[in-house]
Amino acid sequence: MKHINKSTEYWQDLDREHHLHPFTDTKSLNEKGTRVITKADGIYLWDSDGNRVLDGMAGLWCVNIGYGRKELVDAAQRQMMELPYYNTFFQTTNAPATELAKLLSEVTPEGLNRVFFANSGSEAVDTIIRLVRRYWQVEGQPDRNVIISRNNAYHGSTVAGASLGGMDPMHEQSGLMMPGIEHIMQPYWYKDGGDLSPEEFGLKAAQALEERILEVGPGKVAAFIGEPIQGAGGVIVPPETYWPEIQRICTKYEILLVADEVICGFGRTGNWFGSETFGIKPDLMSMAKGMSSGYLPISAVMVGDRVADALIEKSGEFYHGFTYSGHPASCAVAIENIRLLRDEGIIDRVRDETGPYFQKRLRELEEHPLVGEVVGCGLIAGFVFAKNKETRELFENGSEIGNICRDHCFNNGLIMRACGDRMVLSPPLIMSKVEIDELFDKVKYCLDLTAKDLGKL
């Protein structure tokens, strides 16, 4: 559809008349008017008024390889000309789905050799719930159907994903959620650690899992799920002691360990997956976003040998799937995306060069009067607004401050997301050091504007 000659106002009017946006106060947005993004290249976006914006969020944590990669467009076009679609239900497959399944088994951690395809992170998480519960059924333990997650975790916005996630506003709006879900504390030391050291708190937060297992009953708990780094919860990086203790507890009680890699996967933390960064050995792994760099929708669940072998040998038909599972064009794009990440050494560069530089520049924000904890690894970052840095006291209206800062960013050529009182960054993995400098110059400028609004400068 040609829109070159359409005005911003035209698109805004059309949008407010017909478009309901996700995670949006529609009344407020309609009064303000949407920003119309018209094109993108590299790490930059342009809106319909010609303004250039540095995309500090890689779309929605997903455009890892950057915008405008012709190789991905060509891969989609070739596949659409040859076989634009066919399902994988009727004892059929297609070449891209099969190739991608093999490729994913090569780049994921050892022991994850089978793939179930879906179309979004939410669908992948729904699939995990089905797989986990079916696994324990065929293993003769049908009472093991409780899945433990964490407060402030994000695992998608379907009923199942929102139930598994720990976002209170989502639960409050949705009424009765799925049964068989439990939540424990998040490993957020800065807010919840009290007088404990980060290492002590990491153990305490992990041991909350064992406490809950014993409360529920070990014979009833099926799995624990966690993001290696909590993304939408504000980029919560757990203390170093956390994941080893989680792993120990899961092993002790023979509970399946699920890593939700939708945000951390495909290079974000400087390794192919966050599980490698934190030494996690998952039984199942969800992935999406960076799998195709957002160019086409696709997601997957990697299924470990323990689960896959039991399901294959004992389950019979697995009554689950999606019309677009293994969509050939999406798979073709994902294959090319993974090839470029690998062959161009993009993830290696994040690990060895740009990631450390990004983290060095990030830590400079600790000197800002508004900023408390600063955390991150690779090309992911989060920091919190603190009322008192010495006592780690947070602002009561921290969410409002986050929105003020977000709006200053948006009005000054930068996209940086506010998650309550935390600001988060997750830029494309292709960033150069010069572009990282540009990003943090903009961040500091917008933090200063926010501080002036609050009378802190």
Side-chain angles (χ1 to χ4, degrees):
M1 180 179 180
K2 296 292 184 181
H3 57 262
I4 293 175
N5 297 322
K6 304 292 187 182
S7 67
T8 297
E9 291 75 17
Y10 169 84
W11 294 110
Q12 288 176 334
D13 288 343
L14 205 62
D15 194 85
R16 65 170 54 93
E17 288 172 12
H18 301 290
H19 190 182
L20 291 174
H21 292 251
F23 286 88
T24 295
D25 179 339
T26 300
K27 181 179 179 181
S28 176
L29 178 63
N30 287 348
E31 291 171 355
K32 181 180 181 180
T34 54
R35 188 169 194 171
V36 183
I37 304 300
T38 58
K39 67 176 183 176
D41 185 60
I43 67 166
Y44 299 102
L45 306 165
W46 282 263
D47 67 18
S48 53
D49 293 322
N51 298 303
R52 190 181 79 162
V53 185
L54 194 161
D55 185 2
M57 284 304 301
L60 198 59
W61 317 83
C62 57
V63 189
N64 289 7
I65 208 163
Y67 297 98
R69 289 303 300 251
K70 188 174 183 297
E71 297 93 333
L72 272 62
V73 177
D74 290 345
Q77 183 183 34
R78 285 193 303 269
Q79 186 56 49
M80 287 185 176
M81 292 298 294
E82 184 173 337
L83 176 68
Y85 169 75
Y86 196 68
N87 70 75
T88 54
F89 280 51
F90 303 148
Q91 300 184 32
T92 63
T93 190
N94 61 73
T98 305
E99 266 189 61
L100 179 58
K102 176 65 165 60
L103 184 57
L104 289 171
S105 73
E106 294 172 354
V107 300
T108 53
E110 185 179 356
L112 300 172
N113 292 306
R114 299 287 198 324
V115 184
F116 193 103
F117 288 116
N119 310 287
S120 68
S122 296
E123 288 184 4
V125 167
D126 282 27
T127 299
I128 282 172
I129 295 174
R130 297 285 303 277
L131 286 166
V132 163
R133 290 180 170 169
R134 181 58 180 157
Y135 167 78
W136 286 114
Q137 287 175 354
V138 302
E139 288 293 86
Q141 300 184 59
D143 290 340
R144 291 190 87 150
N145 57 23
V146 173
I147 302 175
I148 299 176
S149 179
R150 300 181 293 195
N151 298 329
N152 199 35
Y154 185 81
H155 297 295
S157 61
T158 56
V159 171
S163 298
L164 204 56
M167 299 284 186
D168 289 339
M170 296 175 73
H171 290 192
E172 291 165 4
Q173 285 190 353
S174 299
L176 183 65
M177 305 293 273
M178 274 187 65
I181 306 293
E182 296 280 337
H183 294 89
I184 60 173
M185 68 187 302
Q186 62 178 331
Y188 185 5
W189 171 79
Y190 194 84
K191 181 180 179 182
D192 301 325
D195 295 330
L196 298 176
S197 69
E199 293 75 20
E200 291 169 334
F201 177 73
L203 289 174
K204 176 185 175 181
Q207 287 161 3
L209 172 60
E210 186 164 28
E211 293 168 7
R212 187 59 53 87
I213 291 168
L214 295 174
E215 288 174 10
V216 173
K220 294 183 179 179
V221 178
F224 171 77
I225 185 171
E227 306 153 85
I229 295 173
Q230 286 170 241
V235 180
I236 307 298
V237 180
E240 291 182 359
T241 53
Y242 180 78
W243 276 114
E245 183 68 359
I246 290 287
Q247 187 85 53
R248 182 193 69 80
I249 293 166
C250 288
T251 300
K252 177 180 178 179
Y253 294 98
E254 298 183 338
I255 289 165
L256 297 175
L257 177 52
V258 182
D260 186 340
E261 294 270 9
V262 168
I263 284 173
C264 292
F266 299 97
R268 178 58 52 194
T269 66
N271 290 297
W272 276 95
F273 294 92
S275 293
E276 298 167 82
T277 301
F278 292 95
I280 306 166
K281 294 179 172 58
D283 294 290
L284 298 104
M285 177 190 289
S286 53
M287 59 182 68
K289 294 188 183 293
M291 185 172 169
S292 69
S293 284
Y295 278 58
L296 282 179
I298 188 170
S299 69
V301 177
M302 297 302 300
V303 185
D305 296 340
R306 168 189 174 186
V307 176
D309 291 347
L311 292 173
I312 291 167
E313 294 300 323
K314 302 175 184 179
S315 178
E317 184 171 351
F318 182 46
Y319 298 108
H320 177 71
F322 305 98
T323 300
Y324 303 114
S325 291
H327 190 285
S330 295
C331 289
V333 169
I335 290 168
E336 186 65 15
N337 176 67
I338 293 169
R339 185 190 70 77
L340 292 172
L341 287 171
R342 181 191 60 201
D343 294 354
E344 295 185 358
I346 292 171
I347 296 173
D348 293 341
R349 191 159 63 249
V350 171
R351 183 190 64 229
D352 299 331
E353 182 182 346
T354 55
Y357 186 72
F358 179 90
Q359 295 299 320
K360 176 177 175 291
R361 291 299 317 268
L362 171 68
R363 294 314 189 278
E364 295 172 9
L365 301 181
E366 292 173 341
E367 304 301 319
H368 196 277
L370 279 184
V371 175
E373 179 191 47
V374 177
V375 296
C377 67
L379 286 185
I380 188 170
F383 60 87
V384 67
F385 293 113
K387 186 176 182 179
N388 186 319
K389 296 189 182 191
E390 297 299 321
T391 63
R392 308 205 306 266
E393 180 186 1
L394 304 180
F395 288 97
E396 293 180 2
N397 64 333
S399 294
E400 295 176 21
I401 297 171
N403 288 338
I404 290 169
C405 184
R406 175 204 64 194
D407 290 345
H408 278 308
C409 291
F410 210 44
N411 293 330
N412 288 277
L414 172 66
I415 293 179
M416 180 166 62
R417 183 176 178 183
C419 296
D421 59 359
R422 296 182 66 85
M423 303 301 296
V424 301
L425 288 163
S426 176
L429 304 186
I430 59 165
M431 288 192 90
S432 66
K433 289 184 176 180
V434 170
E435 291 167 336
I436 290 170
D437 288 337
E438 179 189 353
L439 182 149
F440 281 107
D441 287 347
K442 290 179 181 293
V443 170
K444 288 182 177 180
Y445 178 69
C446 294
L447 279 173
D448 287 346
L449 292 177
T450 304
K452 287 180 181 177
D453 287 345
L454 300 175
K456 297 292 184 179
L457 277 184

